[in-house]
């Protein structure tokens, strides 16, 4: 593809040790890590906004990180972008035997289950559960663990039973709060969050994205509350909770209407 080749050549020019860009040519894999996450989150936002222009832009920014890191490794003769693509092609073919071989599947769930089994075999894993990066969001890992356990039949496949588990974990948390046992409280909160992630998975909701949206909603509503208090010439720090809750409910009602 002509455009892709041109992109690679642009990256090489930016990285040229003598005539390259002063910023681009000093970057490393470590320095680019923050941008990988940033661009991924901006792409998620563009998808939620359903803006074609934003999606094109953010997909390009994310692709830039792939090209950038591949070029850095090419300069060290570790691998290049062609090796990245070749590895990806082999993985896609091997993990889709229902397309490229004779395996028979009829549902997306069967495809996912096969994927996990093939992945385990490829990597020589002893467990169906993967070792995820320590910096990966914990809710996202909880969701993936649930999916992987489900691929071998360890699952309720019933959101109602999973919700019952949330209620069970809340009761256990209350018991530990009454005992004032911090270590057990921490453990029970973890169990509660894991149970919530499991319900999210069964309801086809990504818990990490759901929490991100909840954070944005809280921020929007709280800043609206701050604006109202300022307009009333009140000091938020000296406003009692009852009054704050009253204004909060007004903000919610206005937003919902």
């Amino acid at each position: 593809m002509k455009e892709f080749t041109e992109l690679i050549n642009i990256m090489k020019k930016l990285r040229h040790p003598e005539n390259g860009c002063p910023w681009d040519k000093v970057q490393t894999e470590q320095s680019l890590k923050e941008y990988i996450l940033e661009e991924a989150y901006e792409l998620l936002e563009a998808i939620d906004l359903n803006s074609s222009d934003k999606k094109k832009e953010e997909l390009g920014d994310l692709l830039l990180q792939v090209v950038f890191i591949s070029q850095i490794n090419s300069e060290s003769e570790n691998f290049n972008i062609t090796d990245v693509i070749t590895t990806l092609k082999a993985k896609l073919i091997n993990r889709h035997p229902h397309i490229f071989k004779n395996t028979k599947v009829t549902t997306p769930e069967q495809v996912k289950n096969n994927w996990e089994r093939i992945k385990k075999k490829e990597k020589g894993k002893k467990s169906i559960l993967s070792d995820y990066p320590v910096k990966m969001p914990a809710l996202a890992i909880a969701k993936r663990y649930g999916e992987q356990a489900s691929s071998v039949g360890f699952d309720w496949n019933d959101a109602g039973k999973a919700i019952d588990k949330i209620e069970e974990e809340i009761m256990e948390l209350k018991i530990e709060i009454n005992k004032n046992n911090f270590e057990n409280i921490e453990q029970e909160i973890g169990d509660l969050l894991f149970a919530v992630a499991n319900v999210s998975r069964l309801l086809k909701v990504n818990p990490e994205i759901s929490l991100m949206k909840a954070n944005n909603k809280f921020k929007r509503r709280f800043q609206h509350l701050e604006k109202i208090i300022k307009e009333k010439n009140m000091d938020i720090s000296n406003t009692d909770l009852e009054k704050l809750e009253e204004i909060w409910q007004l903000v919610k009602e206005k937003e919902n209407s």
Side-chain angles (χ1 to χ4, degrees), residues 116 119 123 125 127-132 144-145 148:
E116 294 297 346
K119 181 179 177 181
K123 296 181 179 293
K125 293 166 54 184
S127 171
I128 198 70
L129 301 181
S130 297
D131 293 322
Y132 290 105
R144 291 295 291 126
Y145 279 165
Q148 291 174 331

Side-chain angles (χ1 to χ4, degrees), residues 92-107:
L92 289 174
I93 291 171
N94 191 49
R95 294 192 186 178
H96 290 84
H98 53 289
I99 300 297
F100 300 102
K101 296 179 183 177
N102 298 319
T103 302
K104 301 295 182 183
V105 296
T106 57
T107 68

Side-chain angles (χ1 to χ4, degrees), residues 212-226:
M212 190 187 306
K213 289 181 177 180
N215 287 341
N216 290 338
K217 180 171 64 177
F218 178 84
K219 178 183 178 182
R220 182 177 66 249
R221 290 177 174 177
F222 190 83
Q223 289 177 337
H224 191 179
L225 176 145
E226 289 177 309

Side-chain angles (χ1 to χ4, degrees), residues 172-190:
E172 291 178 2
L173 174 59
K174 287 180 177 179
I175 290 170
E176 296 305 329
I177 289 173
N178 288 335
K179 293 180 180 178
N180 199 28
N181 187 325
F182 176 80
E183 187 173 323
N184 286 356
I185 289 172
E186 184 180 50
Q187 178 178 312
E188 293 303 336
I189 287 177

